[in-house]
């Protein structure tokens, strides 16, 4: 993580177009305008041209919104390195069935960001050893945007994972009411889906999260 990004806690929006009543690119733009720093495009039921088309729209909308507020936004592609390259995103986020971080780095531009999903401190450390630049640890609490598939890890597990050498973003059940707890446990920021996209006003929801993070950070 770059020094400039350590000045305030990170707010990452992980997309799911099924979770929002608003067109995805509009919801993402509103969230970025309200203070989202990173956008991870995660539309796993799409492939090929359909995925690239959605990604292109989201990338353009997010970058326009960031430019309008005089900031930059980091856009990450979930798993699909080919789409990341075609859409010129800023990096990739790798899941459990994706390439290893060191392999992904060999396929991407040198400045690309590479992150991973993890479920415990050991997986975070292994990712760091393999060349990942950050990790999402999930689920900290019960997810807001989908049914739970595993028990929540809790804040103690988050604190243990934050002892690794790479920044850890807390994910799963995070909203404005508990984001400060994640930061207190050592997280560099939070990653959310439902807390923003599940709202009728994604911009207001993102602003509330941004305010909670800034107050706690």
């Amino acid at each position: 993580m770059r020094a400039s990004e350590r000045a305030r806690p990170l707010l990452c929006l992980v997309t799911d177009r099924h979770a929002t009543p608003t067109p995805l690119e509009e919801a993402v733009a509103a969230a970025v305008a309200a203070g989202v720093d990173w956008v991870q495009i995660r539309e796993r039921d799409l492939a090929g041209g359909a995925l690239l088309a959605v990604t292109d729209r989201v990338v353009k909308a997010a970058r326009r919104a960031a430019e309008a507020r005089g900031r930059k936004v980091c856009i990450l592609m979930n798993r699909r390195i080919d789409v990341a390259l075609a859409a010129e995103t800023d990096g990739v986020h790798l899941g459990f069935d994706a390439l290893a971080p060191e392999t992904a780095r060999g396929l991407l531009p040198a400045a690309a960001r590479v992150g991973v999903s993890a479920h415990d401190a050991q997986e975070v450390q292994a990712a760091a050893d393999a060349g990942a630049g950050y990790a999402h640890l999930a689920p900290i609490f019960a997810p807001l945007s989908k049914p739970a598939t595993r028990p929540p890890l809790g804040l103690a597990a988050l604190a243990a994972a934050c002892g690794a050498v790479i920044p850890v973003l807390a994910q799963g059940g995070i909203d404005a009411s508990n984001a400060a707890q994640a930061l207190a446990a050592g997280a560099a920021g939070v990653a959310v889906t439902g807390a923003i996209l599940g709202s009728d006003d994604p911009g207001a929801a993102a602003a509330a999260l941004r305010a909670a993070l800034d107050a706690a950070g």
Side-chain angles (χ1 to χ4, degrees), residues 80-101:
R80 292 291 299 268
I81 291 175
D82 55 341
V83 178
L85 291 168
E88 298 183 343
T89 68
D90 300 295
V92 296
H93 184 88
L94 305 171
F96 303 100
D97 56 354
L99 294 175

Side-chain angles (χ1 to χ4, degrees), residues 101-102 116-137 160-168:
E102 62 267 40
V116 300
S117 294
H119 291 314
D120 57 40
Q122 291 75 26
E123 289 182 0
V124 172
Q125 188 57 57
D129 293 342
Y134 73 91
H136 286 192
L137 188 74
C162 290
V165 298
I166 57 175
V168 174

Side-chain angles (χ1 to χ4, degrees), residues 141-202:
F141 307 112
L144 300 177
S145 62
K146 61 183 179 181
T149 57
R150 59 178 64 232
L153 297 170
L155 294 169
L158 175 60
C162 290
V165 298
I166 57 175
V168 174
L169 275 63
Q171 185 174 12
I174 304 291
D175 59 19
S177 72
N178 57 24
Q181 298 177 53
L183 297 188
V190 301
V192 305
T193 297
I196 292 177
L197 295 184
S199 171
D200 290 334
D201 189 339

Side-chain angles (χ1 to χ4, degrees), residues 4-217:
S4 62
E5 291 172 338
R6 289 195 290 267
R8 72 174 190 169
L10 283 165
L11 176 53
C12 175
L13 172 61
V14 181
T15 75
D16 177 355
R17 71 192 190 285
H18 301 299
T20 177
T22 304
L24 182 60
E25 59 269 30
E26 295 179 16
V28 169
V32 170
V36 161
D37 304 294
W38 292 5
V39 176
Q40 182 197 139
I41 301 171
R42 187 182 189 276
E43 303 296 329
R44 297 204 62 191
D45 61 331
L46 293 180
L51 178 58
L52 180 57
V54 168
T55 301
D56 279 336
R57 290 198 300 271
V58 170
V59 167
K60 290 174 182 175
R63 288 182 174 157
R64 281 196 301 265
E67 289 172 5
R69 65 182 175 121
R71 299 183 64 90
K72 291 185 177 181
V73 63
C74 174
I75 303 174
L76 304 161
M77 186 68 219
N78 185 274
R79 289 176 170 81
R80 292 291 299 268
I81 291 175
D82 55 341
V83 178
L85 291 168
E88 298 183 343
T89 68
D90 300 295
V92 296
H93 184 88
L94 305 171
F96 303 100
D97 56 354
L99 294 175
E102 62 267 40
T103 304
R105 285 202 179 278
L107 298 171
L108 292 164
R113 196 184 303 275
V114 176
V116 300
S117 294
H119 291 314
D120 57 40
Q122 291 75 26
E123 289 182 0
V124 172
Q125 188 57 57
D129 293 342
Y134 73 91
H136 286 192
L137 188 74
I140 306 304
F141 307 112
L144 300 177
S145 62
K146 61 183 179 181
T149 57
R150 59 178 64 232
L153 297 170
L155 294 169
L158 175 60
C162 290
V165 298
I166 57 175
V168 174
L169 275 63
Q171 185 174 12
I174 304 291
D175 59 19
S177 72
N178 57 24
Q181 298 177 53
L183 297 188
V190 301
V192 305
T193 297
I196 292 177
L197 295 184
S199 171
D200 290 334
D201 189 339
L209 260 165
R210 180 75 267 162
L213 291 169
D214 290 345

